[in-house]
Amino acid sequence: MMTTIEKLAELREKMKGTGVDAYVITTDDFHASEYVGAYFREREYMSGFTGSAGTLVVLPDTAALFTDGRYFIQAEAQLAGSTIELMKSGQPGVPTIEEYLYDHLEPEKVVGFDGRTVSLDFADRMLGKLGDKKVTLNGELDLVDELWADRPELSHEPVFELPFSYTGETRADKLVRVRASIRSAGADARVISALDEIAWLLNLRGNDIDCNPVFLSYMLIADEDCRLYINDAILNDEITRELAVDGITLHPYNEIYTDLRRLPEVIQTHKKTEQVTILLDGCQANYRLRSCIPETVSVVDEPSAIQLMKAQKNSVECENERNAHIKDGVAVTKFIYWLKHHIGTETITELSAAEKLESFRKEQKGYIEPSFDTISAYGPHGAIVHYEPTEETNVELKPESFLLVDSGGHYMEGTTDITRTITLGALTEEEKWAYTLVLIGHLNLAAARFKHGTRGENLDYLAREPLWRYGLDFNHGTGHGVGYLLNVHEGPNRIHFRIMEERRPTAVFEDGMITSDEPGIYIEGRFGIRHENLVLCKKAGKPAGKLPEVFLKETEANGTFLEFETLTWVPFDTEALIPELMTDRELQRLNEYHKNVYEKIAPYLTEEERIWLEQATSPVSKKYHNKI
């Protein structure tokens, strides 16, 4: 096997042969997916860095890998000795990829990449920054493919259909809504390349990306045409027939590029003018797609309307998600009980603990697979935000400190994502102090009541304030949207204090959006703590307590208010708390949550597990701290 240094040397020879002065390798597949199938892991192959986010830039004499705060520690370790410089994106003094290229390229040079794996938005940013140097882009190259001798094949796993009892809306009705959005934008058609949008729209699910139930495909939707570009071998006869009934025609996966080149001939339009207008989302559509569209076609780059439709779960999806989280709560609660009763009496490692948790989920009816690779991080490993144990890093758990477990599952009823930081034994005062502050922030955000029009940037302070009070912080978002039996991370809802620098803001919170609530703290070399539940945004009920009559008219005039309904039901570790750091209101929130945990989860446990859960969820007060 070649070393990273040898791979870089071969790539540079390829660059010379094709007249490329810089080569960019993203983490993306052809659909701007967050996680990608084995075929697409070119950046991992070239750099050795295995994180889910990062971009490698290779020049004749240097190379740099850009990644975000979730992966700084991991990337630093995996890039050691590779000659690749780690660029900590978002940190003071660290350039963007475009700025880095600008600083390292002479005028009239060429930046190469595989245009199918670079978003139109990213390509536009490069052109915008490098334009005054007359640097050009070549998006027709896949140089890594020429080096990767044993590259895995493109995935083509079977697709299955979700019945109405899980989706709450038919494929035909969804198409009506999408077509209406195209017309309202004054356009004739839309290109859809985001895999989760296609899966949601068609009420189909697949398995072409680990832990993401999607399938490789594109769609081209017009008023009277609906084309699905897919390897039809992954569709059974019944699904093929039902798609045809809904007016959806099947075409080979890669034919999308050919059809876009002859776009005016492909789509049917009744407009009197010959001018055709097509919509695409530059943050999701790849550079090659845009390059194929003729100049005679008007292209409008705007966010896909499907993203917001998909994020607002309907009543059927919401009720199913509640049921999925009961099942998941039972599995994780059983796991915590098992762990606390076996730690110190038998050998348990990070990997074996993750396997045990998976076995509890498999006992639940309707369970399909994990929604992402389980983070099972003991002690110092907990400080690596997205640490995933391997055979090389796997360590034995001891009856001391914390095990941070971030995991989730796909059920027929929906997708879950939960983090619990579990006490394994004796804790230091600083571990308890940090645990308590993070939990306060988590509870504060979960209790938020806010006016319609609020975005995640407005809510983030609720979770970070207990840490910011002491000059502490965590280097990741506080919340992300979650799909319905789809990607565990989805937009447009997001909670983070940083206003996104990209041209598109985060979404206003709407009724039906599911978002994570997951503040944390990470002390490198010591420990990491994160508390995560999923919450459902919904219209707020009447305010608690009696309001003076003089204010009643004011409340009616102030518009719609929203609040969060907690979906996740698993106890927090009260033996890790310092109750004196919490206000009475914060303790009340914790005790009310634990009361609900016991009521919802206890009926599904054994007698021994119920007795333990009753103790684990017993009220906590400043005068008496129950130790279990």
Side-chain angles (χ1 to χ4, degrees), residues 115-160:
R116 298 168 299 173
T117 64
V118 168
S119 73
L120 175 58
D121 193 59
F122 179 27
D124 284 346
R125 294 202 307 271
M126 286 193 285
L127 279 174
K129 181 65 179 178
L130 301 171
D132 66 346
K133 280 192 169 184
K134 297 182 179 179
V135 171
T136 56
L137 306 182
N138 183 346
E140 301 297 322
L141 304 172
D142 187 1
L143 300 183
V144 177
D145 185 63
E146 299 175 23
L147 306 175
W148 195 352
D150 55 348
R151 185 174 192 170
E153 66 175 3
L154 206 62
S155 180
H156 51 279
E157 293 293 313
V159 165
F160 65 96

Side-chain angles (χ1 to χ4, degrees), residues 331-332 335 352-361 374 405 407:
V332 179
F335 166 72
S352 68
E355 291 166 359
K356 187 67 176 180
L357 174 54
E358 176 67 3
S359 73
F360 285 118
R361 281 199 169 102
T374 297
V405 182
S407 67

Side-chain angles (χ1 to χ4, degrees), residues 39-40 46 69 89 103 163 223 272 338 351 403 405 415 474 482 522 531 536 544 594 617:
Y39 174 88
F40 296 102
M46 290 299 303
S89 298
D103 293 340
D223 221 24
K272 294 180 180 179
W338 170 84
L351 281 176
L403 175 68
V405 182
T415 296
F474 52 94
V482 179
Y522 310 92
H531 304 309
L536 171 66
H594 274 161
T617 57

Side-chain angles (χ1 to χ4, degrees), residues 396-411:
E396 183 179 349
L397 311 186
K398 303 294 184 181
E400 61 186 30
S401 193
F402 293 123
L403 175 68
L404 188 158
V405 182
D406 187 346
S407 67
H410 289 306
Y411 297 79

Side-chain angles (χ1 to χ4, degrees), residues 141-182:
L141 304 172
D142 187 1
L143 300 183
V144 177
D145 185 63
E146 299 175 23
L147 306 175
W148 195 352
D150 55 348
R151 185 174 192 170
E153 66 175 3
L154 206 62
S155 180
H156 51 279
E157 293 293 313
V159 165
F160 65 96
E161 184 160 17
L162 282 183
F164 183 81
S165 60
Y166 293 112
T167 66
E169 187 176 11
T170 66
R171 171 167 54 233
D173 287 341
K174 290 179 178 181
L175 277 169
V176 169
R177 286 208 281 157
V178 172
R179 284 180 166 130
S181 73
I182 295 171

Side-chain angles (χ1 to χ4, degrees), residues 16-85:
K16 283 182 185 178
T18 53
V20 169
D21 304 286
Y23 193 74
V24 177
I25 307 171
T26 67
T27 305
D28 291 349
D29 56 14
F30 302 158
H31 307 273
S33 304
E34 178 185 13
Y35 301 108
V36 301
Y39 174 88
F40 296 102
R41 294 173 187 164
E42 291 189 337
R43 187 225 64 216
E44 179 179 328
Y45 173 77
M46 290 299 303
S47 68
F49 169 60
T50 61
S52 69
T55 299
L56 177 64
V57 178
V58 181
L59 294 106
D61 301 313
T62 188
L65 186 134
F66 296 75
T67 193
D68 62 55
R70 297 171 295 171
Y71 296 109
F72 290 166
I73 298 173
Q74 176 183 341
E76 195 162 1
Q78 292 182 327
L79 295 178
S82 69
T83 73
I84 298 172
E85 181 182 6

Side-chain angles (χ1 to χ4, degrees), residues 172-306:
D173 287 341
K174 290 179 178 181
L175 277 169
V176 169
R177 286 208 281 157
V178 172
R179 284 180 166 130
S181 73
I182 295 171
R183 288 193 299 272
S184 68
D188 300 293
R190 176 177 279 283
V191 176
I192 305 173
S193 57
L195 301 182
D196 60 335
E197 292 186 8
I198 295 172
W200 175 86
L201 177 58
L202 298 179
N203 289 340
L204 300 176
R205 298 296 187 267
N207 192 31
D208 280 339
I209 300 177
D210 289 345
C211 304
N212 291 255
V214 296
F215 47 93
L216 297 176
S217 54
Y218 303 94
M219 288 189 74
L220 179 60
I221 301 179
D223 221 24
E224 297 187 8
D225 289 301
C226 186
R227 293 173 171 244
L228 174 62
Y229 299 87
I230 192 170
N231 179 349
D232 61 7
I234 69 177
L235 304 173
N236 61 41
D237 291 343
E238 182 179 356
I239 291 175
T240 300
R241 284 193 300 270
E242 291 179 357
L243 290 173
V245 168
D246 289 324
I248 300 167
T249 59
L250 305 181
H251 304 267
Y253 177 55
N254 288 313
E255 197 172 286
I256 179 71
Y257 300 99
T258 304
D259 279 359
L260 288 179
R261 290 188 177 94
R262 59 187 190 92
L263 190 59
E265 306 167 29
V266 171
I267 65 170
Q268 299 178 32
T269 177
H270 295 299
K271 290 174 67 175
K272 294 180 180 179
T273 175
E274 293 182 359
Q275 178 68 54
V276 172
T277 300
I278 189 165
L279 305 173
L280 56 73
D281 187 337
C283 292
Q284 298 171 334
N286 67 53
Y287 178 76
R288 185 81 60 83
L289 288 171
R290 174 64 181 85
S291 301
C292 290
I293 299 175
E295 292 183 4
T296 56
V297 174
S298 176
V299 178
V300 177
D301 179 357
E302 67 169 32
S304 170
I306 297 175

